[in-house]
Amino acid sequence: EVQLVESGGGLVQPGGSLKLSCAASGFTFTNYFMSWVRQSPGKEFEWVSGVTAFGRNTYYLPSVKGRFTVSRDNVKNTITLQMNNLTTEDTGMYYCARGGSSESIQAGAIRGQGTQVTVSS
């Protein structure tokens, strides 16, 4: 069974930091590009960041570039998202997803259960 389990969300003040983690199982992790996507209330899924299968290349939504860093550990089958200088616009449910920027936001995409990030003073 394919499983993606996120952790690390929480409440943080603007300018603060959080580190999200995702543990993957049930598939050959190194076969897949992995992504982080988010969804704010009343909005569609938004792709945030992604990393290639062996971690050599990373990609970011322009609004998070320079603040977020994605990485993966192919021994532990995990990916992480380090988020710095958070703003209220970053508030949302964050999901780990299998696949690239288009695949990961589609209905039926392989995603975890999500972890809530709330940025508020």
Side-chain angles (χ1 to χ4, degrees), residues 1-5 23-28 98 110:
E1 179 188 5
V2 174
Q3 281 196 317
L4 298 169
V5 180
S25 61
F27 63 99
T28 304
R98 193 175 80 177
I110 303 297

Side-chain angles (χ1 to χ4, degrees), residues 8-18 20 39-41 83 86-94 115-121:
L11 172 64
V12 64
Q13 293 185 339
S17 298
L18 282 174
L20 307 183
Q39 188 175 35
S40 302
M83 306 187 295
L86 286 159
T87 75
T88 57
E89 295 297 309
D90 296 317
T91 293
M93 187 71 81
Y94 282 70
T115 187
Q116 178 67 38
V117 171
T118 303
V119 185
S120 175
S121 55

Side-chain angles (χ1 to χ4, degrees), residues 3-11 17-24 35-37 69 71 76-83 92-97 111-118:
Q3 281 196 317
L4 298 169
V5 180
E6 302 93 339
S7 60
L11 172 64
S17 298
L18 282 174
K19 185 174 183 178
L20 307 183
S21 296
C22 172
S35 292
W36 287 97
V37 303
T69 303
S71 61
K76 296 180 180 179
N77 283 7
T78 58
I79 66 168
T80 61
L81 186 67
Q82 176 67 47
M83 306 187 295
M93 187 71 81
Y94 282 70
Y95 300 84
C96 170
R111 292 187 288 262
Q113 84 288 348
T115 187
Q116 178 67 38
V117 171
T118 303

Side-chain angles (χ1 to χ4, degrees), residues 56-84:
R56 291 177 181 169
N57 297 99
T58 57
Y59 302 89
Y60 299 94
L61 184 69
S63 63
V64 309
K65 194 170 185 178
R67 300 188 297 120
F68 290 12
T69 303
V70 63
S71 61
R72 66 191 292 163
D73 183 329
N74 285 350
V75 174
K76 296 180 180 179
N77 283 7
T78 58
I79 66 168
T80 61
L81 186 67
Q82 176 67 47
M83 306 187 295
N84 298 329

